[in-house]
Every structure is written in structure tokens, then in C-alpha cells.
């Protein structure tokens, strides 16, 4: 990366995270300046009254008057009130209470500002320390999270107090009046903000990890576990407690609790892709599994397990701050350090991957590991393209034959993939960590692959030896593909309803399965919806969605729908003539049915623009039958 690129990146980070974080100081600073001003104004008014009283005294010698004037001109009343001499001023109790209010709000504002600076510096140091090691990262995140959480909670309470105080004193001081309504609103905002933060502090967010696959229990006598034991011995790691075999296009290990195959799993888990194992050569699979076991030997999964709950609670806390109203500046303050820790997390994640790569290359060979990465990346990219191609079809899928299409087309695609000049920029997928681009990983293990090397490796179909280590692998894989493809087909059809503008019975049937004709009857009238229009009994005829320009609901419970037909016109639905439940249903279904129409319009318009850009002079409708 060039210096100019780095400078731009740093500048972008400052603009996106650091500058918004500084807004945390705005509230306390405004409060400090205002209450200093309020105190100074009281000092000036009371000093003027005292000086007038001194001048009016007839029985006091001129020297004594002069000395008294000099004293009160030199010493502020607010200072005197902090000494025993302040009692001699004889100020009313209400004035003393006002001074006490100003004094404590000034102290609260200063404490908030100083605390912000100290916490800012402390969290910054923690981020720097976290770069040293995974253990330092965990401790830094743990400690800084506690400090940031406590400080932000205290600051939320402090700003709430300042907000209520300002809502009263700004008008009272400058206008000699105050608004009860304004104070009540400020108080409600403060209570809501404090309540949201306190709830977030004690809330433990649920984070259930569900992995699709079949659990393969530990069986030391099976060839699968014996082969894996051999890999673990070479790597210096303990074998996993269980293996989950699925059809996702990745491999990973974790120590986080998860659910798979309806079972709650704890301990060390290895996920293997049946679909990928069938494509890999034995040595390539050895390299991949050695890489995964190296994460166990490096305690990577242990620290991921420790850090994950902290990050989950951090995210939940950020969400509470974001939606807490006046706590938004505190959100940006916390977000800044979450972003900084992301740099640390990314650094250690990359280091973990490079370490595991090096071990895998030593256990097998650098070229075997490089070949595995290439084959996995090619498979993942091809599978994505197959799914996207199927998903883009604007007709119901009789079958979503994803696995068959992959099996038929992958050999040819792998060869084409090897000729892609950007192959080195590809990354393999992972549910928990980010992976460096393959070119960097190849360079780290000393592999320089050219197009011919890549092509020769990918042209040879893998022997799938590890696949056949798994008992009944064919049956397990087929069952999972069938379930996946059925879900894919159902999801595809449900989204078709939001893409189609039906112009034939088949398309209309697809849309009507998700948006059937619906009638909501009240005591005096009814409202009807279908995929293309809505109707209310008092109306002379149905109103097509393509004529609607806007709609609005007023405070009286009347829904006004504006449309264009021989000029701008409006039709209304008086929701008061329906039950409370039906009112909610009418609004919900109106938004749903009309929203479906708008989504379809947007989709078809985007498709038309894309097609006309590819084939100038021809509209998409002219080739619809071919498509």
C-alpha cells in the first residue's frame, strides 16, 4: 500500500470514527459553559446589590466602605459561599439552592469532560496493548470493555441530569420563565436513556450458533478418526471432541458451544465439507485438516471462545446506545474503540491464519496446501454462480438441482478459474475469521504459482479419499443436498412474488400463492386486496396499485390514498368503522400488498436498465420468451 493510500485510509478512519467520538464532549461542555455563565450572572447581580448597600450605609467610615467595596469586587459571591464568611451574606435559601445547583452541575460537567479524556486515553492504550498477543488482546478487551461500559453508563446518567437542568435553567435564566412541558420531556428522555443503558448492562445477549450438518461422534476405531489422529500428532494438537459433516463450502474449527443435527455441542468441534472433501486429493485434504488442527494447537479457538461473548455484549450495548436518544454521542464514542479493536482482531486473525498455513505446509507440502486453497476457492466461486443463476430465474423451479449442476460443471469451471488473472485475490470463506487473499498466503509459504501450474493442478479431479473415510458419506451428503435444495426452491419462489409483474397465468399463480385475494369485513363496509389492486366498498371501482402516487394516515384514523386518473384524485378509508384488530390488519396488508407491487416495479426497472445497457436498442420484453 502506498503512502498516499495509507494517508487516505487513516483520514477516512478519523472522519468516520474518531471525529464522531469527540461529540461525547459536546453535552458536558455546553453544560459547563452555561452554568459558569449562570453562576457569573448571579455573582454580578448580588455583587451589585451588595455594593449599592455599602454605598447607602450612613454610619460607616469612608475607609471601611472602600475596603468593603474592594473586597467584594475582588472576591466572587460564589467563592464566599464556600467559606464560613458566606453565612454572613444573609442570602435567601432559594438563592443558596440555586448556587448549589450551579456548583454541582459545574463539577458534574468537569468530571464528565476529564473522565472522557482519561477513558479515551486508557482505551487507546488498551488497543495498543491488544496488538501484542492473543492473550493481551483478550485481557485488554475485557478490561477496557468494563471501563468503557461503566463510564458510558455514568455519563448517560450525568448527561440526563444536565439535560433536565438545562431544560429548566435556560428559560428561567434568560426569559425569567420556564416550561413545565419542556422539563417533563427532558426528564422522560433522560429516564428512557438511563433505562435503556441499565437494561443493556445486565442483559446477556443470546447467540446461538447453528451449524447445518450431521454430527460424527468420536470413534477411535474408525478410519476417519485414525487418519485425523495421525494429522493431530504431526501438528501437536488434541483431536476434536466431535466432527460435523455438512455441505457448506468451507472447513472450520471452534470451541464455542453450537447446535448441529439437533444436538447441543460443547468442546472442540471440527466442521468438514462433504462436498469439498469429494473434490480434494488426499494430500490436499491432509493439508486443509492440518491447517484446522493447527488452530487448536495455537489456542486460537480458545481465545475466540473467550472473546466472542465480550464482542456480543459490546454489540448489544452499542445497539442500546444508538437507540437511546440523547445517548447517540456516547454510541459514537464506544463505536470508535470497537472499530480500533477490530484492527487488532483483524491483525491477530491474519497472524493465526499464516501460522496455521505454515504448519499445514510443513505437514504436507506447500504445493499441496496451495492446491487445496485453489480448489476450495474455485468450488466456492462456482457454487455461488450456480446458485445465483438459479435464483435469478423468473419462473418456479421444478427442482433446484444445485448439486447436480456443480457436479456437471465444476471440472470445466476449475480449468477456466485457473486462467483468471485475479485468482490470487480470491479468499476462502469462514464463519468466524477473515482469511488473507490467496496470493499473500502463497507468498508466506514460499509458493510461486503460475497459470500453467494452477491449470495443471485443477484439471486433475480429486480422488476424494477423505470423503470415503466417512461412513455412508454418499447418503449423508445426498440427504443434506435434498433438504438444502428444497429450502432453496421454496425461498426462490417466495421472492418471485416480489419480482414478477404477472402477464400470464403461470406468473399470476406464483404471486397469488404469497399474495392471495384478501377481504377484511367491517360492520358497514369491507376492504379487499389482491396482488394488483385494492378496493373499499364505498368506492365506485377498485384502485390499481399502478395508479397510486402516495398515501397517508391522519390523526383521525382516516387513510387517504392519492392516485392519478384524469388528474390528481384521492380516495379514503375511514378506519374508525372497523374494529381495532381490523384497523391494524388493513394498514399492515395495505403496506404489504402495495409494497410488493413497488418492489416488483423497482426490480423490473433495474432489470430493464441492465439489459438495455448490455444490448443497446433492444428492450428486455422483446426477448422474454428466450429468457
Amino acid at each position: 500500500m502506498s503512502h498516499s493510500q495509507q494517508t487516505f485510509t487513516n483520514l477516512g478512519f478519523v472522519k468516520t470514527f474518531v471525529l464522531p467520538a469527540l461529540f461525547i464532549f459536546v453535552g458536558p461542555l455546553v453544560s459547563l459553559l452555561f452554568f459558569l455563565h449562570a453562576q457569573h450572572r448571579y455573582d454580578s447581580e448580588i455583587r451589585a446589590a451588595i455594593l449599592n448597600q455599602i454605598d447607602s450605609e450612613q454610619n460607616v467610615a469612608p475607609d471601611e466602605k472602600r475596603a468593603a467595596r474592594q473586597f467584594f469586587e475582588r472576591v466572587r459571591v460564589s467563592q464566599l459561599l464556600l467559606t464560613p464568611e458566606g453565612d454572613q451574606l444573609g442570602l435567601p435559601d432559594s438563592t443558596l439552592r440555586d448556587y448549589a445547583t450551579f456548583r454541582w452541575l459545574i463539577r458534574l460537567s468537569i468530571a464528565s469532560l476529564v473522565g472522557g479524556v482519561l477513558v479515551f486515553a486508557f482505551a487507546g492504550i488498551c488497543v495498543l496493548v491488544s496488538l501484542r498477543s492473543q492473550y493481551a488482546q483478550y485481557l485488554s478487551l475485557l478490561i477496557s470493555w468494563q471501563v468503557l461500559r461503566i463510564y458510558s453508563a455514568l455519563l448517560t446518567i450525568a448527561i440526563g441530569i444536565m439535560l433536565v437542568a438545562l431544560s429548566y435553567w435556560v428559560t428561567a435564566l434568560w426569559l425569567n420563565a420556564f416550561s413545565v412541558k419542556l422539563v417533563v420531556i427532558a426528564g422522560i428522555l433522560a429516564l428512557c436513556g438511563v433505562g435503556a443503558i441499565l437494561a443493556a448492562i445486565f442483559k446477556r445477549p443470546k447467540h446461538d450458533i447453528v451449524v447445518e450438518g450431521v454430527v460424527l461422534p468420536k470413534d477411535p476405531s474408525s478410519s476417519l478418526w485414525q487418519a485425523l489422529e495421525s494429522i493431530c500428532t504431526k501438528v501437536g494438537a488434541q483431536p476434536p471432541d466431535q466432527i460435523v459433516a455438512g455441505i457448506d463450502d468451507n472447513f472450520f474449527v471452534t470451541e464455542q458451544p453450537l447446535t448441529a443435527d439437533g444436538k447441543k455441542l460443547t468442546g472442540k468441534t471440527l466442521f468438514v465439507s462433504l462436498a469439498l472433501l469429494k473434490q480434494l486429493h488426499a494430500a490436499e485434504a491432509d493439508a486443509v485438516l492440518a491447517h484446522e488442527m493447527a488452530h487448536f494447537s495455537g489456542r486460537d479457538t480458545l481465545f475466540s471462545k473467550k472473546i466472542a461473548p465480550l464482542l456480543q455484549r459490546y454489540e448489544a450495548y452499542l445497539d442500546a446506545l444508538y437507540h437511546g436518544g440523547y445517548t447517540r454521542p456516547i454510541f459514537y464514542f464506544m463505536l470508535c474503540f470497537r472499530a480500533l479493536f477490530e484492527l487488532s482482531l483483524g491483525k491477530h486473525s491474519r497472524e493465526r491464519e499464516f501460522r496455521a498455513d505454515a504448519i499445514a505446509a510443513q505437514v504436507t507440502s506447500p504445493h499441496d496446501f496451495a492446491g487445496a486453497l485453489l480448489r476450495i476457492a474455485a468450488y466456492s466461486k462456482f457454487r455461488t454462480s450456480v446458485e445465483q443463476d438459479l435464483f435469478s430465474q423468473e419462473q418456479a423451479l421444478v427442482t433446484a438441482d444445485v448439486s447436480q449442476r456443480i457436479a456437471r460443471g465444476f471440472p470445466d469451471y476449475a480449468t477456466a478459474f485457473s486462467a483468471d488473472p485475479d485468482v490470487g485475490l480470491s479468499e476462502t470463506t469462514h464463519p468466524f475469521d477473515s482469511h488473507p487473499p490467496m496470493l499473500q498466503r502463497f507468498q508466506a509459504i514460499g509458493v510461486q504459482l503460475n497459470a500453467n501450474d494452477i491449470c495443471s493442478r485443477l484439471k486433475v479431479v480429486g480422488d476424494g479419499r477423505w470423503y470415503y473415510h466417512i461412513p455412508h458419506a454418499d447418503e449423508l451428503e445426498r440427504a443434506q443436498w435434498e433438504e438444502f435444495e428444497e429450502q432453496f426452491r421454496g425461498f426462490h419462489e417466495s421472492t418471485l412474488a416480489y419480482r414478477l409483474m404477472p402477464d400470464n397465468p403461470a406468473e399470476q399463480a406464483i404471486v397469488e400463492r404469497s399474495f392471495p385475494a384478501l377481504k377484511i369485513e367491517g360492520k358497514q363496509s369491507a376492504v379487499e386486496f389482491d396482488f394488483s389492486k385494492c378496493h373499499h366498498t364505498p368506492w365506485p371501482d377498485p384502485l390499481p396499485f399502478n395508479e397510486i402516487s402516495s398515501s397517508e394516515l391522519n390523526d383521525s384514523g382516516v387513510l387517504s390514498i392519492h392516485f392519478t386518473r384524469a388528474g390528481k384524485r384521492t380516495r379514503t378509508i375511514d378506519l374508525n368503522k372497523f374494529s381495532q384488530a381490523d384497523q391494524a390488519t388493513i394498514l399492515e396488508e395495505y403496506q404489504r400488498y402495495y409494497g410488493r407491487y413497488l418492489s416488483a416495479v423497482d426490480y423490473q426497472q433495474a432489470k430493464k436498465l441492465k439489459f438495455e445497457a448490455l444490448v443497446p436498442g433492444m428492450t428486455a420484453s422483446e426477448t422474454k420468451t428466450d429468457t
Side-chain angles (χ1 to χ4, degrees):
M1 182 180 291
S2 68
H3 176 71
S4 61
Q5 290 174 315
Q6 184 67 44
T7 301
F8 174 79
T9 301
N10 291 339
L11 180 61
F13 186 89
V14 169
K15 290 168 111 178
T16 305
F17 297 107
V18 178
L19 290 180
L22 298 180
F23 279 107
I24 197 174
F25 299 109
V26 172
L29 183 60
V30 169
S31 175
L32 175 63
L33 294 176
F34 176 82
F35 287 108
L36 283 173
H37 160 72
Q39 183 175 264
H40 176 73
R41 182 164 169 174
Y42 265 50
D43 284 345
S44 298
E45 292 176 355
I46 294 173
R47 179 193 295 119
I50 292 173
L51 293 178
N52 286 334
Q53 183 179 354
I54 291 172
D55 290 339
S56 64
E57 289 290 343
Q58 300 296 325
N59 300 322
V60 179
D63 289 344
E64 292 181 5
K65 284 186 177 182
R66 185 166 50 254
R69 286 186 63 89
Q70 290 175 350
F71 176 80
F72 282 105
E73 287 172 351
R74 185 177 71 254
V75 181
R76 296 193 302 272
V77 174
S78 55
Q79 289 178 299
L80 278 176
L81 291 176
L82 298 175
T83 66
E85 289 81 0
D87 296 336
Q88 300 175 12
L89 294 175
L91 296 178
D93 290 342
S94 59
T95 302
L96 294 176
R97 284 195 298 270
D98 291 347
Y99 265 113
T101 299
F102 301 155
R103 186 162 54 249
W104 282 107
L105 283 164
I106 289 169
R107 291 171 179 173
L108 186 63
S109 302
I110 293 173
S112 299
L113 291 169
V114 173
V117 172
L118 293 177
V119 171
F120 208 103
F122 176 77
I125 292 171
C126 285
V127 171
L128 293 175
V129 172
S130 72
L131 297 171
R132 296 178 61 86
S133 67
Q134 292 191 94
Y135 183 68
Q137 181 188 66
Y138 167 67
L139 285 181
S140 298
L141 183 58
L142 177 64
I143 296 170
S144 63
W145 154 242
Q146 299 295 347
V147 172
L148 285 166
R149 181 179 62 167
I150 293 171
Y151 170 71
S152 62
L154 293 175
L155 184 61
T156 299
I157 297 171
I159 293 180
I161 294 172
M162 297 175 203
L163 183 65
V164 173
L166 287 169
S167 68
Y168 171 80
W169 278 105
V170 167
T171 56
L173 191 68
W174 290 342
L175 303 177
N176 293 320
F178 71 93
S179 169
V180 175
K181 186 176 181 180
L182 181 62
V183 176
V184 170
I185 291 173
I188 292 173
L189 287 174
L191 289 174
C192 290
V194 172
I197 296 309
L198 292 178
I201 286 176
F202 296 105
K203 180 181 179 181
R204 292 190 174 274
K206 294 182 179 179
H207 185 65
D208 297 328
I209 302 174
V210 179
V211 176
E212 299 294 335
V214 178
V215 179
L216 306 178
K218 204 164 191 175
D219 181 6
S221 64
S222 69
S223 61
L224 170 67
W225 284 94
Q226 289 176 358
L228 188 59
E229 179 75 40
S230 175
I231 293 289
C232 290
T233 301
K234 295 176 183 177
V235 171
Q238 292 295 318
D241 297 298
Q242 58 268 323
I243 299 173
V244 177
I247 57 172
D248 286 352
D249 53 347
N250 57 58
F251 297 83
F252 66 84
V253 288
T254 183
E255 291 189 47
Q256 297 188 49
L258 54 85
T259 301
D261 200 15
K263 303 179 179 70
K264 297 286 187 181
L265 305 179
T266 57
K268 297 178 179 178
T269 301
L270 165 66
F271 176 88
V272 297
S273 169
L274 294 168
L276 282 171
L277 284 178
K278 190 159 58 174
Q279 300 292 337
L280 295 172
H281 290 289
E284 292 174 343
D286 286 347
V288 171
L289 294 172
H291 170 98
E292 299 302 336
M293 294 303 100
H295 285 306
F296 285 145
S297 68
R299 301 201 300 168
D300 302 339
T301 53
L302 174 62
F303 284 110
S304 294
K305 177 185 177 181
K306 288 174 173 285
I307 288 174
L310 293 175
L311 296 179
Q312 292 159 19
R313 295 188 69 182
Y314 205 130
E315 294 299 328
Y317 200 67
L318 283 175
D319 184 67
L321 288 170
Y322 185 83
H323 294 98
Y326 72 88
T327 59
R328 188 68 63 86
I330 308 175
F331 160 80
Y332 288 115
F333 181 78
M334 296 284 284
L335 181 64
C336 175
F337 293 103
R338 178 64 183 87
L340 287 171
F341 270 110
E342 192 61 37
L343 299 177
S344 173
L345 292 168
K347 174 181 179 292
H348 289 300
S349 176
R350 296 302 175 95
E351 289 175 351
R352 290 197 298 261
E353 294 306 321
F354 284 131
R355 173 188 171 275
D357 288 353
I359 292 173
Q362 292 171 3
V363 168
T364 54
S365 76
H367 280 81
D368 285 328
F369 182 64
L373 290 182
L374 288 167
R375 203 176 298 274
I376 291 171
Y379 179 91
S380 180
K381 193 171 182 181
F382 182 60
R383 174 172 172 169
T384 299
S385 69
V386 167
E387 292 176 359
Q388 288 176 342
D389 180 59
L390 278 169
F391 196 78
S392 65
Q393 294 187 25
E394 293 186 15
Q395 59 185 18
L397 301 174
V398 179
T399 58
D401 53 344
V402 178
S403 58
Q404 296 92 321
R405 289 178 177 232
I406 293 174
R408 290 193 301 267
F410 182 64
D412 290 338
Y413 179 85
T415 303
F417 176 81
S418 64
D420 186 347
D422 294 329
V423 65
L425 301 178
S426 301
E427 299 179 17
T428 54
T429 60
H430 194 285
F432 303 114
D433 286 317
S434 62
H435 284 164
M438 284 197 295
L439 184 61
Q440 293 181 18
R441 301 177 75 175
F442 292 163
Q443 292 172 345
I445 59 176
V447 172
Q448 298 291 333
L449 291 177
N450 56 43
N452 291 332
D453 293 332
I454 297 173
C455 184
S456 62
R457 281 190 165 274
L458 295 184
K459 281 178 66 175
V460 180
V461 178
D463 57 31
R465 188 179 303 172
W466 273 87
Y467 179 82
Y468 297 106
H469 276 314
I470 298 174
H472 312 295
D474 283 327
E475 297 175 17
L476 297 177
E477 184 189 13
R478 183 67 257 153
Q480 291 186 61
W481 273 119
E482 288 175 355
E483 182 179 357
F484 171 81
E485 289 167 351
E486 184 61 25
Q487 292 174 350
F488 184 95
R489 190 188 67 78
F491 182 68
H492 170 264
E493 183 165 321
S494 69
T495 62
L496 273 182
Y498 291 88
R499 291 189 274 165
L500 293 175
M501 298 290 286
D503 60 4
N504 60 61
E507 291 183 349
Q508 183 170 327
I510 291 172
V511 176
E512 286 182 334
R513 278 197 283 272
S514 297
F515 292 87
L518 176 66
K519 187 174 185 179
I520 304 165
E521 295 194 55
K523 293 181 179 180
Q524 301 174 358
S525 60
V527 177
E528 299 175 66
F529 299 100
D530 65 28
F531 71 90
S532 64
K533 60 186 180 297
C534 61
H535 182 54
H536 182 34
T537 305
W539 297 350
D541 54 9
L543 182 58
F545 288 133
N546 63 4
E547 294 183 3
I548 296 176
S549 57
S550 64
S551 55
E552 60 191 26
L553 179 68
N554 65 22
D555 294 338
S556 300
V558 176
L559 176 64
S560 298
I561 303 175
H562 310 294
F563 63 101
T564 54
R565 184 191 297 172
K568 295 182 179 180
R569 303 172 64 183
T570 300
R571 288 180 178 176
T572 61
I573 301 175
D574 187 353
L575 297 177
N576 298 299
K577 296 181 179 180
F578 295 84
S579 68
Q580 290 289 334
D582 286 343
Q583 289 180 34
T585 302
I586 290 170
L587 291 174
E588 180 182 340
E589 297 301 339
Y590 173 73
Q591 292 173 344
R592 195 168 75 90
Y593 278 71
Y594 184 47
R596 183 222 73 84
Y597 166 78
L598 294 177
S599 296
V601 169
D602 290 343
Y603 175 83
Q604 294 295 332
Q605 182 65 23
K607 187 181 81 169
K608 177 183 177 183
L609 294 174
K610 181 179 179 181
F611 183 87
E612 291 176 351
L614 293 172
V615 188
M618 184 180 294
T619 64
S621 60
E622 292 175 33
T623 60
K624 185 169 183 179
T625 54
D626 295 335
T627 304

